[in-house]
Structure formats: C-alpha cells, structure tokens
Amino acid sequence: MKNHSKILWLTQTALMLALLVAVQGVTAGLGNQFVTGSCVNLILGVTALVVGLWGGAAVALTSPFLAFLFGIGPKFIQLLPGIAAGNLVLVLVLALVIRSGAVPLWRRALGWLAAAAAKFATLYLVMVQFLVPMLVSGGTIPAKASAALSAQFSWPQLITALIGGGMAVLMAPTLRKALKK
C-alpha cells in the first residue's frame, strides 16, 4: 500500500469508528436494541464493504470497547470480547463472501444472510451459552441479570444483523461508486 492509500484507509476507518460510536451514543438514549443494533450492523457492514476487510475488522473489534469507555455499551467489561467477536464475524463474512460492490445479486444476498446468521450464532454461543453463565456462576453478574442479558444476545441479534446488514449490502455499491472504489 502506498502512503496515500494508507492515509486514506486510516482516515476512512477512523471516520467509520467515530460514526459508529456517535450513532450508539445518540440511539442508546432511545432504549431500543433494535434501532441501535441495526445502526451498528449497518455501519459495520458499510465499513467492511466500502473501506475493506481490515477497516471493518478494526471497527468491529474496537467499537465495543469505546462504547464501554463512553458509557454507552454493556455495563460488564467481561462481555466486550464476546461482542467484538460477533461484530468481527459479521464483517468477515460480508467482506469475504461479497468482496466488492460489483457482484451478482445472489452473492450479495448470500453474504447478507450468512453474515447475519453467523453473527447471531457467534453471539448466542459465546454470550448466552458461555460468558453469561460463567460470569453468573463466578458472582461477577447478578443472577437476576442473567435472563435479561441472555435475551439481549439471542434472537434480537439475528433481527438487527438482518436489518443492518441488509441495508449495508444495498447501500455499499452506491457508496463505492461515489468514492470511486
């Protein structure tokens, strides 16, 4: 990568990360997981499909930790790696299946559906089946919070990944064209 390309990639990645954290901050006050989650997945998907795999991965892995630092993420820091893993899976599947904006519709649809299913499965397994029970049994998370956290990281994740990922897949070709990518 030439210096100009590196600077462009870094700038676009930083802008997408800042946008994601800002959108989380604005929508978190609504108290609606479907709005916030769909917006997060939209930005993750656009980053993966427009900036690229590495930009998407950087935003996916960093955003949960920044959200926590700004007080707009989960209250338990131990959950952040699981959230980052779910974000990363969404980005990886979208970027690897779709790769660029000029692919057939069936491949974009496959990438969208596979990415949403993969994020849901990752979050369900990592959070609901592993992290939450482990943190409850260790006394880190109150048992009362277990049901709410498990519900938050189950089927709503599939819905928000479908909404946000679908919007990203639809928007990315136009954005790539506008940015001449």
Side-chain angles (χ1 to χ4, degrees):
M1 219 187 281
K2 295 178 184 172
N3 272 347
H4 175 70
S5 296
K6 288 179 185 178
I7 292 169
L8 181 61
W9 175 87
L10 184 60
T11 303
Q12 289 174 339
T13 302
L15 283 171
M16 296 306 285
L17 181 59
L19 177 64
L20 191 142
V21 173
V23 165
Q24 282 179 302
V26 169
T27 62
L30 300 174
N32 188 324
Q33 176 182 0
F34 294 102
V35 173
T36 302
S38 297
C39 289
V40 166
N41 288 316
L42 166 63
I43 295 167
L44 289 172
V46 166
T47 306
L49 297 172
V50 176
V51 178
L53 173 62
W54 295 111
V59 172
L61 294 173
T62 310
S63 62
F65 296 93
L66 288 176
F68 178 81
L69 289 174
F70 290 124
I72 53 177
K75 307 227 180 308
F76 304 103
I77 196 167
Q78 298 89 338
L79 298 176
L80 300 182
I83 296 167
N87 289 348
L88 182 61
V89 166
L90 178 90
V91 164
L92 287 172
V93 174
L94 279 175
L96 295 175
V97 173
I98 297 176
R99 294 195 186 154
S100 72
V103 296
L105 180 60
W106 69 265
R107 189 163 164 177
R108 287 187 302 193
L110 175 68
W112 162 55
L113 295 172
K119 179 173 184 174
F120 161 71
T122 300
L123 286 172
Y124 184 81
L125 292 172
V126 171
M127 304 297 277
V128 176
Q129 297 298 313
F130 178 69
L131 272 178
V132 171
M134 181 182 76
L135 294 172
V136 168
S137 70
T140 306
I141 294 178
K144 292 181 206 172
S146 174
L149 283 170
S150 293
Q152 181 181 356
F153 291 107
S154 63
W155 66 268
Q157 295 297 327
L158 178 61
I159 303 302
T160 60
L162 284 168
I163 293 169
M167 291 169 51
V169 168
L170 290 173
M171 291 173 63
T174 303
L175 292 170
R176 289 180 63 80
K177 190 179 212 181
L179 295 170
K180 296 179 174 62
K181 285 193 162 204

